């Protein structure tokens, strides 16, 4: 009996000191805009597997792809309000609440995946992430979306003049609007969920997105020309509702960080392989593909420079200096 009483007392002590989160099950609603066959979705699935393993199955991720929980802005508001726990939008959608995120969208700033990763995983990317908690959001790092390229139903884009007069759907973001205005196109801001219908109805002539997005959303059905403009490197950002984040224990937060870090390398690898493969698949579906020469890309960069300078002047000077210093550093590597 004495042994039983001792064991019972020990069990009681363990019960008292066991962290409360160990008994708590979490259901994380993770929404995004992309289809279930897109690399962002593969990243969500890997994150879900890793988090389930780390938490002993206590932290469950429910994925809601293909804008099921709303467009970019609706999901952002849901995170800020604590109604939705996670999302993985393009960084572009954050420029409305932290304008310095517009730096990530500056055209022709990086020319390789290695440069893009160094910029976002380094001090600049972290400085931008540090601005989000005040806006009700927490970020766990950056995923790959890829270099953005123009498609349209009128003509191949081989030089900046080819964009003149085209109605191009852009993300509702000031940097994208000004960049395409500089090329004398007519940029039309529009939520992603409305894009296919607008292309089909010829309400817009074209759009710009990474190859995997173009393929996954079957834009080749309504767009004949795919042009390798590579004008902007696009990243997704893994966001968590701060209201939800603050309800987690330090141990749970650590598991979330670790799962996100481990999922990042996998997601980038899958995304970049998919982009390479997508070009061939788009051509097989009948899309007319063309490269843009290095000389014409230089011309495009020069034409876009006034738009870059305009926004740089509106941003926090310390962040702009960090951005320029980081670009100088990574271009030397």
């Amino acid at each position: 009996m004495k042994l039983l009483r001792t064991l019972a007392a020990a069990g009681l002590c363990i019960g008292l000191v066991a962290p409360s989160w160990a008994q708590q099950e979490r259901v994380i609603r993770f929404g995004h805009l992309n289809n279930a066959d897109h690399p962002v979705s593969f990243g969500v699935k890997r994150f879900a597997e890793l988090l389930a393993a780390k938490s002993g199955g206590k932290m469950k991720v429910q994925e809601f792809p293909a804008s099921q929980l709303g467009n970019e802005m609706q999901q952002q508001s849901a995170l800020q309000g604590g109604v939705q726990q996670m999302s993985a939008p393009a960084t572009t959608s954050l420029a409305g609440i932290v304008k310095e995120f517009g730096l990530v969208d500056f055209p022709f700033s990086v020319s390789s995946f290695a440069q893009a990763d160094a910029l976002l995983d380094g001090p600049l990317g972290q400085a931008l992430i540090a601005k989000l908690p005040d806006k009700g959001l927490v970020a766990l790092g950056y995923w790959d979306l890829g270099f953005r390229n123009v498609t349209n139903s009128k003509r191949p884009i081989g030089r900046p003049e080819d964009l003149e007069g085209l109605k191009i759907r852009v993300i509702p973001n000031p940097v994208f609007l000004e960049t395409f205005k500089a090329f004398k196109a007519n940029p039309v801001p529009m939520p992603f969920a409305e894009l296919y219908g607008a292309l089909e109805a010829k309400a817009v002539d074209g759009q710009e997105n990474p190859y995997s997005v173009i393929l996954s959303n079957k834009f080749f059905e309504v767009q004949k020309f795919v042009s390798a403009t590579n004008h902007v490197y696009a990243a997704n950002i893994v966001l968590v509702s701060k209201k939800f984040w603050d309800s987690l224990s330090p141990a749970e937060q650590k598991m979330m960080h670790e799962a996100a870090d481990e999922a990042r390398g996998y997601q980038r690898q899958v995304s970049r392989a998919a982009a390479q493969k997508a070009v061939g698949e788009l051509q097989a579906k009948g899309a007319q593909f063309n490269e843009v020469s290095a000389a014409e890309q230089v011309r495009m960069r020069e034409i876009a420079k006034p738009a870059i300078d305009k926004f740089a002047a509106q941003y926090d000077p310390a962040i702009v200096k960090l951005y320029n210093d980081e670009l100088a550093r990574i271009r030397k590597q």
Side-chain angles (χ1 to χ4, degrees), residues 273-309:
Q276 205 170 7
K277 193 177 167 199
V279 176
E281 290 189 33
L282 286 166
Q283 288 174 294
K285 303 279 188 191
Q288 190 175 314
F289 176 79
N290 71 284
E291 299 276 1
V292 178
S293 72
E296 291 297 342
Q297 282 206 325
V298 169
R299 289 186 62 226
M300 291 175 99
R301 186 183 300 128
E302 287 305 310
I303 291 168
K305 193 171 183 304
I308 294 172
D309 294 342

mmCIF file of all heavy atoms in Angstrom, residues 273-309:
data_model
loop_
_atom_site.group_PDB
_atom_site.id
_atom_site.type_symbol
_atom_site.label_atom_id
_atom_site.label_comp_id
_atom_site.label_asym_id
_atom_site.label_seq_id
_atom_site.Cartn_x
_atom_site.Cartn_y
_atom_site.Cartn_z
ATOM 1 N N ALA A 273 11.779 23.250 -58.866
ATOM 2 C CA ALA A 273 11.698 22.130 -59.813
ATOM 3 C C ALA A 273 10.408 22.239 -60.636
ATOM 4 O O ALA A 273 10.404 21.994 -61.851
ATOM 5 C CB ALA A 273 11.737 20.809 -59.055
ATOM 6 N N ALA A 274 9.320 22.633 -59.980
ATOM 7 C CA ALA A 274 8.030 22.767 -60.666
ATOM 8 C C ALA A 274 8.069 23.876 -61.705
ATOM 9 O O ALA A 274 7.502 23.746 -62.799
ATOM 10 C CB ALA A 274 6.921 23.039 -59.659
ATOM 11 N N ALA A 275 8.748 24.975 -61.381
ATOM 12 C CA ALA A 275 8.844 26.104 -62.324
ATOM 13 C C ALA A 275 9.584 25.680 -63.589
ATOM 14 O O ALA A 275 9.171 26.001 -64.714
ATOM 15 C CB ALA A 275 9.566 27.280 -61.666
ATOM 16 N N GLN A 276 10.665 24.936 -63.407
ATOM 17 C CA GLN A 276 11.460 24.466 -64.548
ATOM 18 C C GLN A 276 10.615 23.551 -65.444
ATOM 19 O O GLN A 276 10.615 23.684 -66.666
ATOM 20 C CB GLN A 276 12.680 23.718 -64.011
ATOM 21 C CG GLN A 276 13.851 23.700 -64.971
ATOM 22 C CD GLN A 276 15.108 23.172 -64.292
ATOM 23 O OE1 GLN A 276 15.085 22.693 -63.152
ATOM 24 N NE2 GLN A 276 16.213 23.234 -64.993
ATOM 25 N N LYS A 277 9.887 22.671 -64.798
ATOM 26 C CA LYS A 277 9.059 21.712 -65.525
ATOM 27 C C LYS A 277 7.860 22.396 -66.191
ATOM 28 O O LYS A 277 7.406 21.997 -67.266
ATOM 29 C CB LYS A 277 8.568 20.650 -64.529
ATOM 30 C CG LYS A 277 7.962 19.417 -65.169
ATOM 31 C CD LYS A 277 7.590 18.409 -64.087
ATOM 32 C CE LYS A 277 6.698 17.324 -64.674
ATOM 33 N NZ LYS A 277 5.955 16.604 -63.643
ATOM 34 N N ALA A 278 7.353 23.440 -65.551
ATOM 35 C CA ALA A 278 6.131 24.103 -66.027
ATOM 36 C C ALA A 278 6.296 24.728 -67.409
ATOM 37 O O ALA A 278 5.356 24.743 -68.209
ATOM 38 C CB ALA A 278 5.681 25.169 -65.019
ATOM 39 N N VAL A 279 7.502 25.231 -67.710
ATOM 40 C CA VAL A 279 7.713 25.864 -69.019
ATOM 41 C C VAL A 279 7.447 24.861 -70.141
ATOM 42 O O VAL A 279 6.714 25.147 -71.090
ATOM 43 C CB VAL A 279 9.145 26.438 -69.138
ATOM 44 C CG1 VAL A 279 9.386 26.996 -70.536
ATOM 45 C CG2 VAL A 279 9.352 27.542 -68.109
ATOM 46 N N GLY A 280 8.013 23.667 -70.013
ATOM 47 C CA GLY A 280 7.788 22.629 -71.019
ATOM 48 C C GLY A 280 6.330 22.219 -71.096
ATOM 49 O O GLY A 280 5.786 22.004 -72.192
ATOM 50 N N GLU A 281 5.682 22.132 -69.944
ATOM 51 C CA GLU A 281 4.269 21.733 -69.927
ATOM 52 C C GLU A 281 3.385 22.808 -70.559
ATOM 53 O O GLU A 281 2.419 22.488 -71.263
ATOM 54 C CB GLU A 281 3.833 21.443 -68.487
ATOM 55 C CG GLU A 281 4.480 20.177 -67.935
ATOM 56 C CD GLU A 281 3.889 19.756 -66.595
ATOM 57 O OE1 GLU A 281 2.689 19.968 -66.380
ATOM 58 O OE2 GLU A 281 4.650 19.220 -65.771
ATOM 59 N N LEU A 282 3.713 24.062 -70.311
ATOM 60 C CA LEU A 282 2.938 25.157 -70.926
ATOM 61 C C LEU A 282 3.058 25.106 -72.449
ATOM 62 O O LEU A 282 2.070 25.277 -73.169
ATOM 63 C CB LEU A 282 3.419 26.517 -70.397
ATOM 64 C CG LEU A 282 2.995 26.858 -68.959
ATOM 65 C CD1 LEU A 282 3.803 28.037 -68.425
ATOM 66 C CD2 LEU A 282 1.503 27.169 -68.912
ATOM 67 N N GLN A 283 4.279 24.847 -72.934
ATOM 68 C CA GLN A 283 4.486 24.737 -74.386
ATOM 69 C C GLN A 283 3.717 23.538 -74.953
ATOM 70 O O GLN A 283 3.115 23.638 -76.027
ATOM 71 C CB GLN A 283 5.980 24.631 -74.686
ATOM 72 C CG GLN A 283 6.718 25.948 -74.478
ATOM 73 C CD GLN A 283 8.222 25.794 -74.646
ATOM 74 O OE1 GLN A 283 8.879 25.112 -73.866
ATOM 75 N NE2 GLN A 283 8.775 26.434 -75.636
ATOM 76 N N ALA A 284 3.715 22.441 -74.208
ATOM 77 C CA ALA A 284 2.977 21.247 -74.650
ATOM 78 C C ALA A 284 1.474 21.518 -74.721
ATOM 79 O O ALA A 284 0.762 20.903 -75.526
ATOM 80 C CB ALA A 284 3.258 20.087 -73.696
ATOM 81 N N LYS A 285 0.998 22.467 -73.896
ATOM 82 C CA LYS A 285 -0.433 22.823 -73.896
ATOM 83 C C LYS A 285 -0.766 23.856 -74.971
ATOM 84 O O LYS A 285 -1.898 24.320 -75.080
ATOM 85 C CB LYS A 285 -0.834 23.412 -72.537
ATOM 86 C CG LYS A 285 -0.564 22.519 -71.351
ATOM 87 C CD LYS A 285 -1.619 21.474 -71.164
ATOM 88 C CE LYS A 285 -1.433 20.726 -69.855
ATOM 89 N NZ LYS A 285 -2.274 19.540 -69.761
ATOM 90 N N GLY A 286 0.252 24.270 -75.733
ATOM 91 C CA GLY A 286 0.002 25.195 -76.838
ATOM 92 C C GLY A 286 0.413 26.629 -76.598
ATOM 93 O O GLY A 286 0.225 27.488 -77.465
ATOM 94 N N ALA A 287 0.985 26.922 -75.437
ATOM 95 C CA ALA A 287 1.432 28.293 -75.177
ATOM 96 C C ALA A 287 2.671 28.600 -76.010
ATOM 97 O O ALA A 287 3.525 27.739 -76.216
ATOM 98 C CB ALA A 287 1.748 28.472 -73.698
ATOM 99 N N GLN A 288 2.741 29.824 -76.502
ATOM 100 C CA GLN A 288 3.911 30.273 -77.265
ATOM 101 C C GLN A 288 4.864 30.951 -76.292
ATOM 102 O O GLN A 288 4.532 31.975 -75.700
ATOM 103 C CB GLN A 288 3.471 31.250 -78.366
ATOM 104 C CG GLN A 288 4.576 31.576 -79.352
ATOM 105 C CD GLN A 288 4.054 32.454 -80.488
ATOM 106 O OE1 GLN A 288 3.001 32.200 -81.065
ATOM 107 N NE2 GLN A 288 4.788 33.515 -80.795
ATOM 108 N N PHE A 289 6.051 30.361 -76.103
ATOM 109 C CA PHE A 289 7.001 30.821 -75.097
ATOM 110 C C PHE A 289 8.150 31.577 -75.737
ATOM 111 O O PHE A 289 8.643 31.180 -76.791
ATOM 112 C CB PHE A 289 7.535 29.609 -74.319
ATOM 113 C CG PHE A 289 8.601 29.945 -73.316
ATOM 114 C CD1 PHE A 289 8.273 30.495 -72.084
ATOM 115 C CD2 PHE A 289 9.940 29.709 -73.595
ATOM 116 C CE1 PHE A 289 9.248 30.812 -71.158
ATOM 117 C CE2 PHE A 289 10.930 30.020 -72.673
ATOM 118 C CZ PHE A 289 10.580 30.565 -71.447
ATOM 119 N N ASN A 290 8.562 32.673 -75.109
ATOM 120 C CA ASN A 290 9.760 33.379 -75.606
ATOM 121 C C ASN A 290 10.601 33.910 -74.449
ATOM 122 O O ASN A 290 10.078 34.276 -73.394
ATOM 123 C CB ASN A 290 9.388 34.535 -76.536
ATOM 124 C CG ASN A 290 8.756 35.708 -75.803
ATOM 125 O OD1 ASN A 290 7.587 35.648 -75.411
ATOM 126 N ND2 ASN A 290 9.521 36.774 -75.601
ATOM 127 N N GLU A 291 11.910 33.899 -74.661
ATOM 128 C CA GLU A 291 12.845 34.491 -73.689
ATOM 129 C C GLU A 291 12.942 35.997 -73.952
ATOM 130 O O GLU A 291 12.592 36.468 -75.035
ATOM 131 C CB GLU A 291 14.249 33.880 -73.868
ATOM 132 C CG GLU A 291 14.310 32.388 -73.643
ATOM 133 C CD GLU A 291 14.464 32.014 -72.180
ATOM 134 O OE1 GLU A 291 14.497 32.928 -71.326
ATOM 135 O OE2 GLU A 291 14.534 30.802 -71.897
ATOM 136 N N VAL A 292 13.424 36.732 -72.957
ATOM 137 C CA VAL A 292 13.721 38.158 -73.124
ATOM 138 C C VAL A 292 15.236 38.291 -73.003
ATOM 139 O O VAL A 292 15.828 37.798 -72.045
ATOM 140 C CB VAL A 292 13.005 39.015 -72.057
ATOM 141 C CG1 VAL A 292 13.367 40.486 -72.213
ATOM 142 C CG2 VAL A 292 11.491 38.835 -72.143
ATOM 143 N N SER A 293 15.864 38.936 -73.971
ATOM 144 C CA SER A 293 17.329 39.014 -73.978
ATOM 145 C C SER A 293 17.836 39.811 -72.778
ATOM 146 O O SER A 293 17.123 40.650 -72.214
ATOM 147 C CB SER A 293 17.826 39.671 -75.265
ATOM 148 O OG SER A 293 17.532 41.064 -75.242
ATOM 149 N N ALA A 294 19.089 39.560 -72.413
ATOM 150 C CA ALA A 294 19.711 40.270 -71.280
ATOM 151 C C ALA A 294 19.724 41.775 -71.540
ATOM 152 O O ALA A 294 19.479 42.579 -70.630
ATOM 153 C CB ALA A 294 21.130 39.747 -71.063
ATOM 154 N N ALA A 295 19.985 42.149 -72.797
ATOM 155 C CA ALA A 295 20.035 43.586 -73.137
ATOM 156 C C ALA A 295 18.673 44.242 -72.930
ATOM 157 O O ALA A 295 18.576 45.369 -72.407
ATOM 158 C CB ALA A 295 20.488 43.756 -74.591
ATOM 159 N N GLU A 296 17.599 43.549 -73.312
ATOM 160 C CA GLU A 296 16.252 44.118 -73.133
ATOM 161 C C GLU A 296 15.855 44.152 -71.656
ATOM 162 O O GLU A 296 15.144 45.059 -71.221
ATOM 163 C CB GLU A 296 15.214 43.340 -73.957
ATOM 164 C CG GLU A 296 15.364 43.512 -75.464
ATOM 165 C CD GLU A 296 15.162 44.964 -75.947
ATOM 166 O OE1 GLU A 296 14.584 45.781 -75.210
ATOM 167 O OE2 GLU A 296 15.601 45.273 -77.069
ATOM 168 N N GLN A 297 16.350 43.175 -70.891
ATOM 169 C CA GLN A 297 16.083 43.214 -69.444
ATOM 170 C C GLN A 297 16.757 44.421 -68.794
ATOM 171 O O GLN A 297 16.188 45.054 -67.897
ATOM 172 C CB GLN A 297 16.553 41.923 -68.784
ATOM 173 C CG GLN A 297 15.572 40.772 -68.999
ATOM 174 C CD GLN A 297 15.644 39.723 -67.899
ATOM 175 O OE1 GLN A 297 16.706 39.459 -67.371
ATOM 176 N NE2 GLN A 297 14.513 39.141 -67.568
ATOM 177 N N VAL A 298 17.963 44.734 -69.253
ATOM 178 C CA VAL A 298 18.660 45.927 -68.759
ATOM 179 C C VAL A 298 17.838 47.182 -69.081
ATOM 180 O O VAL A 298 17.675 48.071 -68.231
ATOM 181 C CB VAL A 298 20.085 46.036 -69.366
ATOM 182 C CG1 VAL A 298 20.701 47.397 -69.078
ATOM 183 C CG2 VAL A 298 20.968 44.925 -68.804
ATOM 184 N N ARG A 299 17.300 47.245 -70.296
ATOM 185 C CA ARG A 299 16.451 48.384 -70.686
ATOM 186 C C ARG A 299 15.205 48.466 -69.797
ATOM 187 O O ARG A 299 14.802 49.553 -69.372
ATOM 188 C CB ARG A 299 16.023 48.271 -72.152
ATOM 189 C CG ARG A 299 17.162 48.505 -73.154
ATOM 190 C CD ARG A 299 16.635 48.531 -74.578
ATOM 191 N NE ARG A 299 15.686 49.623 -74.744
ATOM 192 C CZ ARG A 299 14.486 49.520 -75.347
ATOM 193 N NH1 ARG A 299 14.088 48.369 -75.839
ATOM 194 N NH2 ARG A 299 13.699 50.567 -75.447
ATOM 195 N N MET A 300 14.613 47.323 -69.535
ATOM 196 C CA MET A 300 13.425 47.303 -68.679
ATOM 197 C C MET A 300 13.758 47.798 -67.271
ATOM 198 O O MET A 300 12.991 48.547 -66.662
ATOM 199 C CB MET A 300 12.838 45.884 -68.622
ATOM 200 C CG MET A 300 12.220 45.437 -69.935
ATOM 201 S SD MET A 300 11.654 43.722 -69.896
ATOM 202 C CE MET A 300 9.914 43.964 -69.595
ATOM 203 N N ARG A 301 14.914 47.385 -66.769
ATOM 204 C CA ARG A 301 15.338 47.818 -65.436
ATOM 205 C C ARG A 301 15.487 49.342 -65.393
ATOM 206 O O ARG A 301 15.065 49.990 -64.432
ATOM 207 C CB ARG A 301 16.660 47.143 -65.068
ATOM 208 C CG ARG A 301 17.104 47.430 -63.633
ATOM 209 C CD ARG A 301 18.462 46.814 -63.310
ATOM 210 N NE ARG A 301 18.448 45.379 -63.466
ATOM 211 C CZ ARG A 301 19.333 44.689 -64.189
ATOM 212 N NH1 ARG A 301 20.290 45.312 -64.833
ATOM 213 N NH2 ARG A 301 19.266 43.375 -64.265
ATOM 214 N N GLU A 302 16.069 49.895 -66.431
ATOM 215 C CA GLU A 302 16.268 51.352 -66.483
ATOM 216 C C GLU A 302 14.928 52.092 -66.521
ATOM 217 O O GLU A 302 14.754 53.119 -65.869
ATOM 218 C CB GLU A 302 17.123 51.732 -67.704
ATOM 219 C CG GLU A 302 18.590 51.362 -67.578
ATOM 220 C CD GLU A 302 19.229 51.947 -66.318
ATOM 221 O OE1 GLU A 302 19.075 53.169 -66.082
ATOM 222 O OE2 GLU A 302 19.861 51.190 -65.564
ATOM 223 N N ILE A 303 13.989 51.560 -67.302
ATOM 224 C CA ILE A 303 12.664 52.204 -67.413
ATOM 225 C C ILE A 303 11.925 52.149 -66.070
ATOM 226 O O ILE A 303 11.207 53.086 -65.697
ATOM 227 C CB ILE A 303 11.833 51.522 -68.531
ATOM 228 C CG1 ILE A 303 12.443 51.848 -69.898
ATOM 229 C CG2 ILE A 303 10.372 51.954 -68.488
ATOM 230 C CD1 ILE A 303 11.894 51.019 -71.046
ATOM 231 N N ALA A 304 12.117 51.063 -65.332
ATOM 232 C CA ALA A 304 11.418 50.894 -64.047
ATOM 233 C C ALA A 304 12.083 51.665 -62.909
ATOM 234 O O ALA A 304 11.471 51.847 -61.845
ATOM 235 C CB ALA A 304 11.357 49.411 -63.699
ATOM 236 N N LYS A 305 13.315 52.140 -63.098
ATOM 237 C CA LYS A 305 14.074 52.749 -62.002
ATOM 238 C C LYS A 305 13.369 53.941 -61.356
ATOM 239 O O LYS A 305 13.357 54.059 -60.113
ATOM 240 C CB LYS A 305 15.472 53.146 -62.473
ATOM 241 C CG LYS A 305 16.391 53.480 -61.317
ATOM 242 C CD LYS A 305 17.832 53.670 -61.759
ATOM 243 C CE LYS A 305 18.738 53.931 -60.569
ATOM 244 N NZ LYS A 305 18.340 55.065 -59.733
ATOM 245 N N PRO A 306 12.745 54.859 -62.116
ATOM 246 C CA PRO A 306 12.051 55.975 -61.460
ATOM 247 C C PRO A 306 10.950 55.518 -60.500
ATOM 248 O O PRO A 306 10.734 56.139 -59.451
ATOM 249 C CB PRO A 306 11.463 56.770 -62.634
ATOM 250 C CG PRO A 306 12.349 56.436 -63.800
ATOM 251 C CD PRO A 306 12.762 55.020 -63.588
ATOM 252 N N ALA A 307 10.264 54.424 -60.848
ATOM 253 C CA ALA A 307 9.226 53.883 -59.950
ATOM 254 C C ALA A 307 9.866 53.383 -58.652
ATOM 255 O O ALA A 307 9.348 53.616 -57.554
ATOM 256 C CB ALA A 307 8.473 52.749 -60.637
ATOM 257 N N ILE A 308 11.017 52.712 -58.776
ATOM 258 C CA ILE A 308 11.738 52.219 -57.602
ATOM 259 C C ILE A 308 12.147 53.394 -56.710
ATOM 260 O O ILE A 308 11.937 53.387 -55.499
ATOM 261 C CB ILE A 308 12.991 51.419 -58.038
ATOM 262 C CG1 ILE A 308 12.578 50.142 -58.765
ATOM 263 C CG2 ILE A 308 13.898 51.113 -56.854
ATOM 264 C CD1 ILE A 308 13.726 49.379 -59.396
ATOM 265 N N ASP A 309 12.740 54.416 -57.321
ATOM 266 C CA ASP A 309 13.214 55.577 -56.557
ATOM 267 C C ASP A 309 12.065 56.286 -55.847
ATOM 268 O O ASP A 309 12.208 56.748 -54.708
ATOM 269 C CB ASP A 309 13.942 56.561 -57.487
ATOM 270 C CG ASP A 309 15.226 55.973 -58.054
ATOM 271 O OD1 ASP A 309 15.728 54.979 -57.480
ATOM 272 O OD2 ASP A 309 15.731 56.492 -59.068
#
